[in-house]
Amino acid sequence: MNTKRWIALIVAAAVLGISVVINSAFAFLQGSFAESIDEMMATTQSSVSEVVLESGDIDSRVAVLNVEGVIQDTGNTSSLFGTSGYNHSFFMEQLENIKEDPSVKAVVLAVNSPGGGVVESAEIYDKITEIQEETKKPFYVSMGAMAASGGYYIAAPADKIFVNEETLTGSIGVIMQSVNYGELAERYGVDFVTIKSGPYKDIMSPTREMTEDERALLQEMLDDSYESFVDVIEEGRDMTEKEVKAVADGRIMNGRQAVEANLADAIGFEEDVIEQVKADYDLGNAEVFQYGASEGWGSLLSMKMNSFFGNDIETQMISKLLTEYSSPRMMYLYGDK
């Protein structure tokens, strides 16, 4: 190996070591110090607040729930350079509040998401259908710029789905991806040693080629999740399996095409959806509100550190490389997370 490659490896190792130290120290500060303060404050404030969007009858309200970003449970942790995004436990808490609050008469679900995890999407779907069955509260969906794959999965049980003409939706299907860098590592003299208890324990390893048996096992899993996705649309949109599978091949479509395929009901912006649910359920004087998170010290610390280091694209890329857990998983997802 020549001098330049040795220098590159040393620099890479140094950067990795520094990032581990920094993230560990930050995790300690945020996880120990911040969480202890948040726990002390928990008795005096709720983790969920309300923001009134339109004043009206407080006993007859319309709740607006926002799903923004990739739908996955990241454990609600923040890195040193972390930015705010979708918070799965917080969103599930909002749904529980909707179920238990008798003043909420209808819900507008505003979705702007490329989808996300199979498990998280199913959890949201199950909770929405539970609320519909037990409380009879209507759910109307307002799709934003994107409501694809898992973003459509969680919208499927809605009473009505509205799209913009330029909404990117569809992408019905399941995907699982990994990166194979074995050949690259071999080129630089990196040798991976694996000791495993069974032949499939390192399935989808990034250091070797996948076997046909492994591919067949994974394909069966994905096919099961795909059929579940199709069933959700069949039930939610009152379509036949043949009708769903005609467009459930991973293709994306715009709002007009979604309406023509019966995956959506009409064209409209979020304010149009709110007015429509009011008109359909005689809620003309209803208060319209959305939930917000009460910021704890941990969140504030993350925001301050992010502000200090900046939020440029290079910082975001470094954060993605250093902090994301990259183990392959099944996703209802369009594009790269």
Side-chain angles (χ1 to χ4, degrees):
M1 197 177 331
N2 60 34
T3 304
K4 288 184 178 180
R5 289 184 176 179
W6 275 114
I7 292 174
L9 285 174
I10 292 171
V11 171
V15 170
L16 179 60
I18 292 170
S19 69
V20 170
V21 172
I22 291 176
N23 278 313
S24 297
F26 181 71
F28 173 78
L29 288 173
Q30 184 176 349
S32 300
F33 173 71
E35 285 182 13
S36 62
I37 295 179
D38 283 344
E39 287 175 5
M40 288 189 293
M41 297 180 66
T43 56
T44 59
Q45 68 176 31
S46 170
S47 62
V48 178
S49 61
E50 294 182 0
V51 179
V52 175
L53 303 178
E54 296 179 19
S55 298
D57 185 353
I58 62 173
D59 294 319
S60 181
R61 306 195 297 164
V62 175
V64 177
L65 303 185
N66 295 285
V67 176
E68 185 82 25
V70 179
I71 304 168
Q72 62 179 348
D73 189 352
T74 58
N76 303 323
T77 57
S78 301
S79 71
L80 179 62
F81 305 101
T83 56
S84 60
Y86 174 77
N87 184 320
H88 187 62
S89 63
F90 176 59
F91 185 74
M92 296 305 297
E93 186 175 357
Q94 293 177 60
L95 288 175
E96 184 61 30
N97 282 7
I98 292 295
K99 177 183 175 182
E100 301 298 331
D101 189 342
S103 72
V104 176
K105 305 302 182 184
V107 182
V108 171
L109 183 63
V111 182
N112 188 25
S113 170
V118 167
V119 172
E120 293 90 338
S121 300
E123 189 175 5
I124 294 172
Y125 170 85
D126 288 344
K127 192 64 179 180
I128 289 175
T129 54
E130 175 188 314
I131 295 170
Q132 289 174 316
E133 292 169 2
E134 294 186 14
T135 71
K136 308 304 179 185
K137 295 177 182 180
F139 275 73
Y140 278 28
V141 166
S142 171
M143 292 185 172
M146 180 180 290
S149 203
Y152 188 84
Y153 188 105
I154 66 172
D159 297 88
K160 287 186 180 179
I161 297 175
F162 293 77
V163 292
N164 301 324
E165 290 187 356
E166 304 305 323
T167 294
L168 194 62
T169 188
S171 189
I172 298 167
V174 196
I175 190 169
M176 177 183 278
Q177 291 180 311
S178 70
V179 176
N180 188 333
Y181 50 74
E183 187 176 336
L184 176 64
E186 183 179 352
R187 186 183 305 170
Y188 283 91
V190 180
D191 185 28
F192 295 93
V193 178
T194 302
I195 302 172
K196 53 186 180 179
S197 58
Y200 303 113
K201 184 58 181 171
D202 64 339
I203 196 168
M204 287 197 82
S205 168
T207 66
R208 66 173 177 80
E209 293 291 331
M210 181 183 298
T211 69
E212 289 303 315
D213 284 346
E214 290 172 334
R215 187 177 296 276
L217 284 172
L218 294 174
Q219 188 64 57
E220 184 178 358
M221 290 168 52
L222 264 69
D223 289 344
D224 285 345
S225 293
Y226 170 76
E227 292 298 333
S228 295
F229 201 158
V230 171
D231 291 342
V232 160
I233 299 173
E234 285 182 53
E235 183 175 352
R237 298 300 300 170
D238 194 24
M239 298 170 66
T240 66
E241 180 179 352
K242 182 179 180 180
E243 289 172 332
V244 175
K245 288 190 173 180
V247 292
D249 52 8
R251 74 181 68 182
I252 56 173
M253 60 189 74
N254 62 25
R256 175 188 59 79
Q257 293 169 320
V259 173
E260 291 176 354
N262 196 30
L263 295 179
D265 297 289
I267 303 293
F269 294 102
E270 183 176 317
E271 55 268 28
D272 302 318
V273 181
I274 293 172
E275 291 307 311
Q276 188 64 58
V277 75
K278 282 184 176 182
D280 290 350
Y281 292 89
D282 193 23
L283 299 170
N285 192 39
E287 177 185 88
V288 180
F289 76 99
Q290 66 182 16
Y291 292 110
S294 299
E295 297 293 349
W297 281 90
S299 300
L300 292 174
L301 179 59
S302 178
M303 291 168 60
K304 289 297 183 182
M305 295 299 287
N306 184 62
S307 175
F308 178 79
F309 283 99
N311 196 28
D312 54 90
I313 188 65
E314 291 85 0
T315 300
Q316 294 181 37
M317 290 176 66
I318 292 172
S319 172
K320 188 179 181 73
L321 288 171
L322 296 181
T323 63
E324 285 196 350
Y325 183 62
S326 58
S327 179
R329 57 182 299 202
M330 290 191 295
M331 304 284 281
Y332 293 137
L333 181 68
Y334 168 70
D336 181 18
K337 66 177 179 177

